[in-house]
Amino acid sequence: MDFSNFTPGAASIGGLLIGASGLILFALLGRQAGVSSVAGGLLRFDLRDLDWRLAFIGGIVVGPLVVAFVRGSELPFEITFNPWMLVAAGLLVGFGTRLGNGCTSGHGICGVSRFSVRSIVAVVTFVGVGVLVATLARLGGLS
Amino acid sequence: MRAAVAALAGLIFGIGLTIAEMTNPAKVLAFLDVFSGQWDPSLIFVMGAGIALYGAGFLILKRRTAPVMGDRFHLPTAQGIDTPLIAGAVLFGAGWGLVGLCPGPAFAALSLGGAPVLIFMAANLAGMYAFELVGPRMTRGQTAA
């Protein structure tokens, strides 16, 4: 086993920031920082509800630019460029997170923190399927 | 004001994802690909730290009846394990395991991932919109978080 890419320190700091972000959104606006639910709600085009959703998503988009600026270096990014696989994955993630009412942030952090049984079951399911598909994709030469 | 708070929260979220390198699909796949011989458990620490802080804060906030700037706390009302929950998690897990992107990191990676992330995001939003069209018939009693 090679753990040379394991970065527990940076991962924990990042996780704390994500938790802090969720607390700010919940304490002040009463909303859960579940990205799929915040983004999915945008697509209902309800004008009374667009401002904070767009602002939250906008903040997420800008975050990496701030880190890149402060560090003064390019951020690591590596992906397999297979257009059809990207389309299939995007459709699955978009439809699946809305059908299951949450993703890694909404179920994974907000839901598990509240000891929500639905969220715990969702996390075990999507991590389990994710492990299976990532393993099969590597064995099948897709990634 | 509401938008300013949300923008700040989003910014901190995006910075957290970036520092944890969850914006890099290869790092996420290195977690999901448990049997590769180069397993990277970092994602567990992201989730663990996030859950610990959010969980502690939530316990304190639960004593309040309303948020500082709103009339009520919006929490999911659905109870029990049902087919939409499991089916949705299965579909999401499959897409996540294919390329290593989920909604938060996909938005954060828009500025660093070029065409692949733009293609993924377009499909992601199309999938979310498809749910708006057919979803109400597939779920009962679920409300958005």
Side-chain angles (χ1 to χ4, degrees):
Chain A
M1 200 57 126
D2 167 20
F3 281 115
S4 55
N5 296 318
F6 181 35
T7 53
S12 302
I13 292 168
L16 288 175
L17 287 171
I18 294 167
S21 159
L23 286 178
I24 291 171
L25 202 65
F26 192 67
L28 274 75
L29 303 189
R31 293 288 181 165
Q32 298 235 92
V35 177
S36 61
S37 295
V38 175
L42 277 177
L43 301 173
R44 291 194 186 123
F45 305 105
D46 180 348
L47 289 177
R48 290 162 303 175
D49 208 33
L50 279 183
D51 60 335
W52 72 271
R53 291 180 190 270
L54 273 177
F56 183 70
I57 301 292
I60 295 178
V61 173
V62 173
L65 298 170
V66 174
V67 177
F69 179 76
V70 171
R71 281 191 192 159
S73 64
E74 226 173 285
L75 300 168
F77 184 90
E78 204 185 316
I79 195 168
T80 306
F81 194 0
N82 175 335
W84 293 113
M85 202 162 86
L86 288 164
V87 168
L91 289 170
L92 287 166
V93 169
F95 192 84
T97 52
R98 297 301 289 135
L99 179 62
N101 210 27
C103 58
T104 17
S105 49
H107 279 312
I109 292 181
C110 300
V112 171
S113 296
R114 294 186 290 113
F115 301 106
S116 156
V117 176
R118 281 174 56 86
S119 289
I120 293 166
V121 169
V123 172
V124 170
T125 306
F126 64 64
V127 171
V129 173
V131 166
L132 181 70
V133 170
T135 305
L136 292 176
R138 171 173 53 85
L139 295 175
L142 284 171
S143 63
Chain B
M1 198 57 209
R2 195 166 73 153
V5 169
L8 176 71
L11 190 66
I12 295 171
F13 198 108
I15 290 172
L17 282 175
T18 311
I19 289 175
E21 211 190 314
M22 293 295 105
T23 44
N24 184 0
K27 184 149 181 95
V28 174
L29 287 183
F31 164 74
L32 290 174
D33 196 357
V34 174
F35 309 106
S36 64
Q38 293 173 310
W39 188 47
D40 180 353
S42 302
L43 190 142
I44 295 174
F45 283 71
V46 182
M47 300 282 286
I51 289 167
L53 182 63
Y54 190 86
F58 188 83
L59 281 180
I60 296 166
L61 291 172
K62 222 168 57 169
R63 294 185 211 143
R64 293 181 59 101
T65 51
V68 177
M69 298 168 65
D71 52 348
R72 68 182 182 94
F73 289 117
H74 296 260
L75 288 169
T77 51
Q79 299 285 330
I81 311 305
D82 50 23
T83 311
L85 180 79
I86 302 294
V90 167
L91 296 177
F92 165 42
W96 192 35
L98 266 183
V99 303
L101 280 171
C102 53
F107 280 112
L110 278 175
S111 64
L112 35 133
V117 178
L118 292 176
I119 293 169
F120 177 89
M121 182 53 72
N124 176 45
L125 293 175
M128 286 182 168
Y129 189 67
F131 175 80
E132 293 300 322
L133 300 178
V134 301
R137 267 173 281 158
M138 302 172 73
T139 55
R140 288 159 292 115
Q142 288 201 47
T143 54

